[in-house]
Structures are given as C-alpha cells and as structure tokens.
Amino acid sequence: MTKLSVNINKIATLRNARGGNVPDLLKVARDVQSFGAQGITVHPRPDERHVRYQDARDLRKIVTTEYNIEGNPQHNFIDLVLECRPEQVTLVPDAVGAITSSAGWDTLKNQSYLKEVIAEFKRNGIRTSIFVDPIEAMVEGALATGTDRIELYTEQFAHSYALGDTRGIEPYQKAAEKALEVGLGINAGHDLSLDNIYFFKQNIPGLLEVSIGHALISEALYLGLENVVNMYLQKLK
C-alpha cells in the first residue's frame, strides 16, 4: 500500500486568518492520524503565513506516525529540521514568497549544494527526499546527491488528467522506472486529489508515499459541509 501523508498547511492558513487557535492544528494532526493517515506533512515558509516554525516544533511532540517537513534548505530551515528530527525531510526549491511549489530541483546545476545539505541530514539520521520534475536526467542527478528518495512533482499530470488526457502519466512512469533502476525511493505530491489519485497510483511502479494537502482539505469541506449545516439546524430548532 502507498502511504498517505496529509499536509496540514491549509489548516494553519485558516487559523492564521482569524487569529487564536481555531482550528486547532495539533488536534487536526492527532485526528488525521487516528483516522488512518500514515503521516503528517508541513511546509513552513520563511514568512510563516501558514505553518509556523513553532508549529513544527509542537507537532514533533504529537506526531506518532511519520513526520515529514518540507521546505527550501536555507539556514533557518536546516536548523529547524535538525532540531525537530522528523522521519523525513523533503527539499523543495521554493522562491521566497512563492504561493506554492512550482518546479522541481535542477539536480545537475544544484548537485554540490544538495549533496552538502543532504549529507548533514543523513548524519543526523533523517531520511531525505528531493522534489523533482518527471525527467529521467533529473532522477539520475538526484542519485548523485545522496538522497534516499525523490518526490515527483505532479502538477503537470494533474492538469492534463483534468482535461481528459491520460498521456500525461507517461513521463512520470519513465521517471519512476529510472528511480527504481538506480535504487531511489519514490514519493509524489502536488495537486493529487480524489479524482486522479487512483489512476496515478495504478500507473506508477514502486510508489511509496503521497503527500496531499490542498485538495484533501478542500474535499473534506465539501464532503463534510452537509453534515455540519444539518447539525446547526438541529441546534437551532
């Protein structure tokens, strides 16, 4: 079975929009795990507009499954990861101020930098994954960095699949086959949803883990909204 790691950034975004502690990020993390998810993912950005660095520290105390911290390996982020010691760190080449992730690493141009950062995490017993586009050369470059896994950036697949074009899976299949050939683990994430996850899983060999946040939280709103509205109506009778 491919593991599901739930990205809870959007819960923090909602909390931060109002101030206070509603919704409670830690309670959501506990609940998601109790519902069966095999991991919790957070992606703290430098401006702390959703998950804050202190959230990442607090979550370390209550995540009992697999804790995955994503981010651009700048100094503050590296220090946070070494302090929290998650089971996995996922390196993402986000620009400062980026709304969301938009590309994988160029593992050839950034190879020496990634190698240095990954070596530090591995010295501390932290499994490392790096965000890559579905390009075989980037997968081969990832191997040279010393990473344990790659995370396939799946936005292109999700976009083409939504348009009814299933051929968008092909570069991901080739990238996954290359990763298996060279001994890298395979994760995936970005715009995966209830609409496309089954097709993706069925067509990607060796898929170990998916990280899903925006779609999952949005789907939870839609699928749970009727129940909550009716609970209010019952209270108001």
Side-chain angles (χ1 to χ4, degrees):
M1 178 179 177
T2 301
K3 290 183 178 180
L4 170 64
S5 186
V6 176
N7 185 322
I8 57 174
N9 273 21
K10 286 299 183 292
I11 301 299
T13 302
L14 186 58
R15 175 200 63 188
N16 295 352
R18 186 67 180 263
N21 194 41
V22 178
D24 185 332
L25 190 74
L26 300 186
K27 183 179 187 306
V28 170
R30 289 190 183 97
D31 289 344
V32 164
Q33 293 176 106
S34 73
F35 298 153
Q38 296 103 337
I40 296 293
T41 291
V42 294
H43 188 150
R45 288 185 166 86
D47 61 8
E48 297 191 310
R49 66 180 181 270
H50 33 60
V51 167
R52 301 167 182 148
Y53 276 38
Q54 188 56 48
D55 291 328
R57 297 183 182 101
D58 294 340
L59 284 162
R60 174 67 286 182
K61 301 169 188 173
I62 63 100
V63 174
T64 57
T65 53
E66 178 187 281
Y67 192 23
N68 174 45
I69 301 181
E70 297 182 345
N72 194 323
Q74 299 170 341
H75 290 299
N76 289 346
F77 178 83
I78 293 172
D79 291 343
L80 177 71
V81 171
L82 293 177
E83 178 184 349
C84 292
R85 300 292 181 96
E87 282 72 33
Q88 178 173 267
V89 58
T90 300
L91 307 184
V92 182
D94 280 340
V96 174
I99 294 175
T100 187
S101 306
S102 59
W105 287 97
D106 185 326
T107 58
L108 302 177
K109 290 183 178 178
N110 297 284
Q111 195 166 106
S112 60
Y113 173 62
L114 289 168
K115 187 180 293 187
E116 180 181 347
V117 172
I118 289 167
E120 178 66 15
F121 289 140
K122 293 185 82 168
R123 278 194 294 270
N124 286 272
I126 302 169
R127 185 175 76 232
T128 305
S129 177
I130 58 176
F131 211 49
V132 298
D133 294 312
I135 300 169
E136 291 176 72
M138 294 300 107
V139 175
E140 292 177 331
L143 177 67
T145 68
T147 191
D148 301 293
R149 296 186 183 184
I150 56 167
E151 179 172 330
L152 293 171
Y153 172 49
T154 49
E155 182 182 27
Q156 292 172 306
F157 156 74
H159 178 72
S160 63
Y161 189 84
L163 296 175
D165 183 3
T166 59
R167 293 172 299 175
I169 196 69
E170 293 172 6
Y172 293 88
Q173 291 174 316
K174 292 177 181 177
E177 289 165 359
K178 176 59 68 174
L180 292 175
E181 178 187 321
V182 300
L184 290 173
I186 304 166
N187 297 342
H190 205 90
D191 288 347
L192 295 175
S193 69
L194 285 174
D195 290 333
N196 60 38
I197 188 64
Y198 181 78
F199 181 84
F200 188 82
K201 155 67 178 171
Q202 291 300 106
N203 286 278
I204 299 300
L207 184 62
L208 296 173
E209 176 183 301
V210 293
S211 173
I212 305 179
H214 183 81
L216 187 150
I217 299 304
S218 298
E219 289 157 349
L221 288 174
Y222 288 125
L223 295 173
L225 195 57
E226 179 181 4
N227 183 46
V228 173
V229 169
N230 279 282
M231 289 172 72
Y232 271 97
L233 291 173
Q234 290 297 320
K235 297 283 188 183
L236 293 169
K237 279 185 178 179

